[in-house]
Amino acid sequence: MSVDDILFGSATRLAQLIREKKVSAVETAQAHIARIQAVNQKLNAVIQTCFERALEEAKQADALLAQGRTKGPLHGVPMTIKDSLDTEGVVSTGGTLGRFYHLPAKDATVVARLRAAGAILLGKTNTPEFTLAGGGIAGLPTTANIIYGVTRNPYDPARSTSGSSGGAGAIVAAGGAPFDIGSDWGGSIRGPAHANGIAGIKPTSGRVPRTGHIVDYGGVYDSWQQLGPMARRVEDLILILPIISGPDFRDAAIVPVPWKDPNKVEVAKLRVAFYPTSGGEETTPETREAVRRSARFCEEAGCRVTEDLPKDLLREMAEVRSKLVGADAWTFVKRLADKSGTKAMSATLLERMKREQVPMPEFTELLEKQDAARGKLLGWLKSYDVLLCPASRRPAPLINLGPEAARSPPAPGSDYLGVFNSTGWPAMVVRAATSPEGLPIGVQVVGQPWREDIVLAAARYLESKTGGWQKPPI
Amino acid sequence: MTRPTFVTRRQFGAWLGSTGLLPLRPAAAKSSDPAGELIYWPVTRLAQSIRLKKVSSQEAVKACLKRIAEVNPKLNAVVQPCAERAIEEAKQADAMLAKGQTKGPLHGVPMTIKDSFDTAGVVSTGGTLGRKDHIPGRDATVVARLRAAGAILLGKTNTPELTMSGRTSNLVYGETKNPYNLSHQPGGSSGGAAAMVAAGGSPFDIGSDTGGSIRLPAHCCGIAGIKPTSGRVPRTGHLPGYGGGFDALQQVGPLARRVEDLVLILPIMVGPDYEDAAIAPVPLGDPAGVDLKSLRVAFYTTLGEPDPTAKIQQMVKTCAGWMGDLGARVSEARPPRVREVYEMQNKFRGADGRAHVLRLLKKAGTKQASPLLRLDGELLTASQFTELLEKLDAWRSEMLAFLENFDILLSPASAQAAWPLSTEFTPALADYTRLYNITGWPAAVVRAGTSPEKLPLGIQIAGRPWAEETVLAVAAHIESRSGGWQKPELRG
């Protein structure tokens, strides 16, 4: 058993090795702690650690195993958790100054479920303020905040990790944690999965409780926000997602739709749609080719594959979304800041709050238009089981301190991710190619609502063809 | 018993049944009122009798049409009949049966449908003048599903304009009356549905419920009705349709005289239709599998001023007692902060100055709206609106925490029995029902008592989200103790 086996294998395999006592939970924790200490100076991904508690819990896990018992399917497996999720006894800032010293008394629902399944928390990973200051400090297009600073990409420290789950994406890619839990309001799991070359899934709206997340359940943007796992291998998402799914009797939006087994999906029978570009700002040739190649792999498997871009419907949804974002001049974020006791907010958030509030008659009309667009897109999706498209129009960009990078929003149709927060469909990203600069390129795999099983099975198939995650050269 | 030498298939079946060799079909075993007239049969019995050719679909359709003709001059409940098509469809249904085929579990069974649902080829006004002559090209999803299951549309039942009032009256068709006392209201907005089903003119109807519009008419007209969980049944083809800021409040569900009929009909209506994006594919449980004695039941007799009548409060306690008799754990408990929530909801509904209602009127081409339709509201700012939604969702979460200790909540359906025609409808009359539109939980009403004025009294049975089977099982038990629906006299 080499350290590399422990650090760079899948969480699924690691759980098995621990269960079979081929490696102890303590050795596993120690190896990951050493790896975090080795790479974090460059990455600044893990921003709070709880190594002592982790080692103590690992000892207990080994003791339990010695008695022939396990806590659950993740027994003794280490994890990191995005800092926007409450972790009992471990500082949870959500990237906002008012929570600089905030020690939650209770784990977020997903954290509690993972720990009950045996997972061991090593530390917290960086997020922009409230997960929403997508631009980070002064519009820096990466994961950064006033408290902990800038997180860097393990494939090139000069580049962005994307956000908001950038700390999670970077440390998982670098082998510092087998998995992490991200949140995704507009691409915050899938963007970092793409930029850091790992796998991450935003489940269907209503699948996973948001209780204990800094932007929790409720409010008009409720259905956009989902939590989901990020890991190097698709099989790990298949292991972890069912553990965190289902009602918790707090988050009222969660629906008990039964979990279906991805292992029972027949990939050859899937109806696949794809579009290599949505026709906005230029999508790089390698990105387009990554989507085409993935579509060809599906064809090889026997899938019925169709190039089909519902351009007008996507445009319609993107327009409604851009009007709804900040329709209340981001006062919901102001309320979050007040609740957190934050007096100085990120410049990006303050900048956004200069927006005019939308008058109410228009606001409810926008909500009607959003639901109408959802209905129409659902009608389009009825003919397909899987949609393949880019995760982003380019690989991770250089971390750019220039102010114009902060201000200019992408051209309409350039965002491949947010539209699926609006539809509420399950969507994931898995590494499918490498850019000329040697950076990961992810492909986005989208499915019908509640069919995470199909999305995951298709992504796992593509991963088997492309190789998926590759070890970064740190 | 000796076996006759020559027998028809029917005689053989009857003989086999009389030997006790075959178990009774569950539907037959459960059917109530076996001696009554066909027009009062439960849907379950009617469907089975048609399937077994004991009665033809044409007989059933004609009997209902005859009853509608008798009672409708008094009730004004069916506002748009389609008798000829119904008889034609019944003929086809009988012809199919003669070939040994059926369309589905409702083969040949007549129904009426609330006029807020689109019905292909049959005028569907939604109670608004702009759609006075509107003939949809397509059935609403639930109507299409019921017709595909074999049901036959007799006609449309009255609704207030856009379903947005508790009083079943509009400028197109006028006012609907209560079959138990013609000088009283049937409740609303599915008042036409409830009045006609109670009077035996229709075996069942489909209502919609944004604040109590299925449950209040069920209460006022002494029948059974269920508002399913938010996300259970598609609203495609309803007016108002799916979507918008108030989407989660509105649900669609069946109304019938007997709870067993809701159990039969609801599964036919549920599940995604790839248009209404709010619908989730959660499996529907079987009420027959519910262990009633293991349930934790809470009841509350009042939510404060104005208190329900003494008779209603007593009825709730009696129903709770019936659950206790079975061994269920029964306790008294009240949902938290309801007064505050009513205020928030009133604000919420008017937050855009009813611009959403004005848009519906404009789309319908309506120039003159009913005075019952609220077009006022205190215009909020976007910031106040998003904050209000956060607060309402926080309360929904508190309610879930409250529900963690219970499986079923019993309460009044309203503070009083069916109100006189002279009464102006106020939201207070819907205080007990509208709570569960905000939570999105399933809630049914079934008749469980009678007021001193001889009007029906319904009990409201609410349950955990997606646990319609528990709600229906409890409703069926209460119905078995109370007797449920009773034949109305159409007087007063």
Side-chain angles (χ1 to χ4, degrees):
Chain A
M1 184 67 46
S2 75
V3 172
D4 274 16
D5 287 334
I6 298 173
L7 294 181
F8 302 114
S10 70
T12 310
R13 170 102 180 109
L14 190 55
Q16 193 188 348
L17 291 173
I18 294 171
R19 243 183 349 258
E20 290 168 356
K21 296 184 197 152
K22 294 193 173 135
V23 58
S24 72
V26 169
E27 285 169 287
T28 303
Q30 282 167 340
H32 283 93
I33 289 168
R35 179 68 179 168
I36 290 172
Q37 284 164 340
V39 299
N40 205 45
Q41 260 187 327
K42 278 187 187 154
L43 301 180
N44 190 34
V46 178
I47 40 71
Q48 270 297 332
T49 58
C50 49
F51 293 154
E52 278 181 35
R53 186 179 89 175
L55 288 169
E56 187 49 45
E57 287 183 8
K59 253 185 229 164
Q60 290 166 13
D62 286 332
L64 211 62
L65 259 178
Q67 297 165 16
R69 299 188 312 186
T70 65
K71 280 177 110 177
L74 294 173
H75 192 85
V77 176
M79 65 175 174
T80 49
I81 293 286
K82 183 178 181 181
D83 197 35
S84 53
L85 284 158
D86 278 352
T87 44
E88 181 237 316
V90 181
V91 170
S92 307
T93 72
T96 195
L97 276 173
R99 306 221 318 186
F100 197 92
Y101 297 112
H102 179 60
L103 265 181
K106 213 174 113 168
D107 280 327
T109 293
V110 292
V111 176
R113 287 178 178 176
L114 290 165
R115 292 183 72 195
I120 294 172
L121 182 70
L122 300 175
K124 305 297 289 287
T125 49
N126 211 16
T127 169
E129 187 164 19
F130 301 122
T131 76
L132 294 169
I137 295 172
L140 199 62
T142 186
T143 291
N145 59 53
I146 307 174
I147 301 178
Y148 298 120
V150 182
T151 301
R152 292 178 182 279
N153 192 307
Y155 294 86
D156 179 352
R159 289 184 185 263
S160 163
T161 57
S162 180
S164 64
S165 313
I171 203 64
V172 169
F179 73 93
D180 199 305
I181 302 296
S183 54
D184 191 321
W185 192 81
S188 284
I189 288 172
R190 291 161 291 157
H194 161 73
N196 299 290
I198 61 168
I201 183 164
K202 175 194 82 67
T204 311
S205 293
R207 183 66 91 180
V208 178
R210 285 88 34 102
T211 313
H213 188 263
I214 193 161
V215 184
D216 64 353
Y217 48 76
V220 77
Y221 304 107
D222 180 271
S223 71
W224 292 359
Q225 166 97 320
Q226 304 310 321
L227 303 181
M230 301 168 74
R232 288 182 296 275
R233 296 297 173 194
V234 178
E235 65 178 26
D236 297 339
L237 309 183
I238 294 173
L239 172 67
I240 295 159
L241 187 48
I243 295 172
I244 61 176
S245 296
D248 69 346
F249 276 84
R250 290 297 178 277
D251 183 341
I254 306 309
V255 181
V257 175
W259 177 256
K260 289 189 157 102
D261 184 356
N263 295 317
K264 292 187 177 147
V265 173
E266 285 184 66
V267 172
K269 289 192 176 158
L270 299 179
R271 301 163 301 167
V272 178
F274 75 96
Y275 51 86
T277 170
S278 59
E281 273 179 65
E282 199 202 334
T283 298
T284 67
E286 295 79 21
T287 305
R288 284 180 272 147
E289 177 50 26
V291 174
R292 284 208 189 89
R293 188 160 159 255
S294 300
R296 283 197 300 274
F297 285 135
C298 289
E299 231 158 27
E300 278 171 25
C303 302
R304 206 184 71 202
V305 178
T306 319
E307 183 164 353
D308 188 358
L309 169 67
K311 194 171 178 177
D312 294 341
L313 293 179
L314 291 174
R315 187 64 61 93
E316 189 182 328
M317 184 60 105
E319 273 173 21
V320 171
R321 185 176 169 85
S322 71
K323 285 180 188 159
L324 274 176
V325 169
D328 68 348
W330 295 88
T331 48
F332 84 97
V333 176
K334 179 75 176 57
R335 286 191 291 275
L336 279 174
D338 290 345
K339 195 174 145 194
S340 308
T342 297
K343 297 206 172 57
M345 244 186 293
S346 322
T348 13
L349 289 176
L350 291 172
E351 179 69 27
R352 285 185 196 160
M353 287 174 186
K354 290 177 186 163
R355 220 191 119 152
E356 290 275 317
Q357 292 195 25
V358 168
M360 274 312 298
E362 199 183 313
F363 201 135
T364 53
E365 191 173 19
L366 282 171
L367 292 174
E368 287 158 19
K369 285 181 173 168
Q370 174 174 252
D371 283 328
R374 281 175 175 156
K376 283 186 241 172
L377 276 162
L378 203 52
W380 174 81
L381 189 66
K382 195 178 177 181
S383 316
Y384 304 109
D385 302 299
V386 168
L387 160 67
L388 303 176
C389 66
S392 172
R393 62 190 185 85
R394 57 179 182 183
L398 290 167
I399 294 172
N400 180 358
L401 288 160
E404 65 286 353
R407 302 288 137 76
S408 59
S414 305
D415 169 34
Y416 288 99
L417 302 173
V419 68
F420 301 118
N421 295 82
S422 294
T423 62
W425 303 344
M428 68 168 290
V429 165
V430 61
R431 180 168 181 170
T434 304
S435 79
E437 308 93 325
L439 297 167
I441 294 176
V443 65
Q444 185 170 210
V445 186
V446 182
Q448 294 194 359
W450 307 104
R451 295 316 300 267
E452 285 89 346
D453 57 328
I454 291 178
V455 171
L456 288 162
R460 185 170 56 180
Y461 167 72
L462 292 176
E463 181 188 51
S464 75
K465 290 290 177 180
T466 64
W469 170 84
Q470 293 172 34
K471 195 173 162 182
I474 324 173
Chain B
M1 171 171 296
T2 49
R3 186 174 167 185
T5 321
F6 297 103
V7 289
T8 63
R9 227 177 126 164
R10 183 179 287 191
Q11 282 168 328
F12 177 69
W15 166 79
L16 197 61
S18 69
T19 59
L21 293 171
L22 288 180
L24 281 176
R25 289 176 187 234
K30 269 198 274 171
S31 285
S32 332
D33 195 22
E37 301 168 60
L38 179 147
I39 55 167
Y40 300 124
W41 286 359
V43 179
T44 50
R45 180 173 177 203
L46 190 55
Q48 195 188 6
S49 301
I50 292 171
R51 228 171 16 245
L52 298 175
K53 296 179 200 156
K54 288 180 181 162
V55 51
S56 72
S57 174
Q58 289 177 78
E59 284 170 81
V61 163
K62 283 174 184 167
C64 286
L65 288 171
K66 179 164 167 275
R67 180 65 177 167
I68 291 172
E70 268 168 33
V71 300
N72 208 46
K74 289 178 180 169
L75 297 178
N76 190 34
V78 173
V79 289
Q80 193 63 242
C82 51
E84 277 178 36
R85 187 178 88 174
I87 292 169
E88 186 48 45
E89 286 185 7
K91 259 185 215 163
Q92 291 167 12
D94 288 333
M96 255 180 92
L97 262 176
K99 290 190 279 188
Q101 299 167 338
T102 66
K103 282 176 112 175
L106 295 174
H107 191 86
V109 176
M111 65 175 176
T112 49
I113 294 285
K114 184 179 181 180
D115 196 34
S116 52
F117 289 95
D118 280 352
T119 44
V122 181
V123 171
S124 306
T125 73
T128 195
L129 278 173
R131 306 222 317 186
K132 193 163 60 74
D133 304 310
H134 176 64
I135 299 180
R138 199 169 81 139
D139 280 327
T141 293
V142 290
V143 176
R145 287 177 178 178
L146 291 164
R147 291 183 73 194
I152 294 172
L153 181 68
L154 302 175
K156 306 296 290 290
T157 50
N158 209 16
T159 169
E161 187 160 18
L162 307 174
T163 76
M164 289 178 184
S165 167
R167 179 167 201 147
T168 303
S169 175
N170 61 52
L171 298 179
V172 186
Y173 297 120
E175 175 140 34
T176 301
K177 313 278 173 36
N178 190 309
Y180 294 85
N181 186 329
L182 297 170
S183 58
H184 284 243
Q185 298 183 30
S189 64
S190 313
M196 191 45 74
V197 169
S202 170
F204 75 94
D205 200 305
I206 303 300
S208 53
D209 190 318
T210 307
S213 283
I214 288 172
R215 291 160 290 158
L216 289 175
H219 161 70
C220 291
C221 296
I223 62 168
I226 183 165
K227 175 196 82 69
T229 310
S230 291
R232 185 63 96 178
V233 179
R235 285 89 34 100
T236 313
H238 186 260
L239 181 71
Y242 54 77
F246 313 97
D247 179 86
L249 297 174
Q250 167 161 290
Q251 304 310 320
V252 165
L255 293 132
R257 287 181 294 273
R258 297 295 175 192
V259 175
E260 65 191 64
D261 298 338
L262 309 182
V263 173
L264 172 68
I265 296 160
L266 185 59
I268 297 168
M269 303 166 58
V270 304
D273 69 347
Y274 284 89
E275 281 190 60
D276 182 343
I279 307 309
V282 180
L284 193 63
D286 180 2
V290 174
D291 180 17
L292 290 170
K293 65 179 182 307
S294 72
L295 298 180
R296 298 163 303 166
V297 177
F299 72 93
Y300 52 94
T301 57
T302 177
L303 291 171
E305 296 289 322
D307 283 323
T309 65
K311 196 78 196 259
I312 289 175
Q313 297 199 42
Q314 186 50 49
M315 172 196 69
V316 174
K317 284 183 189 152
T318 304
C319 291
W322 288 334
M323 293 309 296
D325 292 347
L326 287 175
R329 188 141 43 95
V330 178
S331 53
E332 191 163 2
R334 250 200 236 190
R337 294 203 293 132
V338 291
R339 291 286 136 193
E340 222 178 301
V341 164
Y342 293 146
E343 269 176 43
M344 288 198 281
Q345 208 218 9
N346 293 343
K347 261 195 197 172
F348 173 57
R349 296 304 304 275
D352 66 352
R354 298 282 192 307
H356 64 289
V357 182
L358 293 170
R359 282 192 291 272
L360 285 172
L361 290 175
K362 195 175 166 200
K363 198 174 153 197
T366 298
K367 305 235 157 44
Q368 188 197 354
S370 161
L372 293 173
L373 189 65
R374 284 197 68 175
L375 294 170
D376 63 318
E378 188 201 335
L379 203 62
L380 302 185
T381 64
S383 165
Q384 289 168 328
F385 179 68
T386 55
E387 185 171 17
L388 191 60
L389 274 177
E390 286 159 18
K391 286 183 172 168
L392 277 168
D393 279 335
W395 179 75
R396 294 172 70 210
S397 174
E398 256 178 76
M399 278 293 276
L400 268 181
F402 169 74
L403 192 65
E404 234 177 344
N405 303 311
F406 305 108
D407 303 294
I408 285 291
L409 307 177
L410 300 178
S411 72
S414 182
Q416 45 176 295
W419 32 94
L421 289 172
S422 56
T423 300
E424 192 187 335
F425 186 84
T426 61
L429 289 168
D431 273 353
Y432 291 86
T433 47
R434 62 184 172 137
L435 273 189
Y436 300 119
N437 296 86
I438 309 173
T439 62
W441 303 347
V445 163
V446 63
R447 180 168 183 171
T450 304
S451 79
E453 310 82 35
K454 304 271 183 283
L455 290 164
L457 295 176
I459 178 97
Q460 179 171 234
I461 303 143
R464 293 183 160 200
W466 307 100
E468 281 88 349
E469 77 275 19
T470 313
V471 170
L472 289 168
V474 170
H477 175 66
I478 290 176
E479 181 187 52
S480 76
R481 297 295 303 265
S482 70
W485 170 84
Q486 293 172 31
K487 202 167 148 180
E489 291 178 3
L490 289 117
R491 279 203 302 239

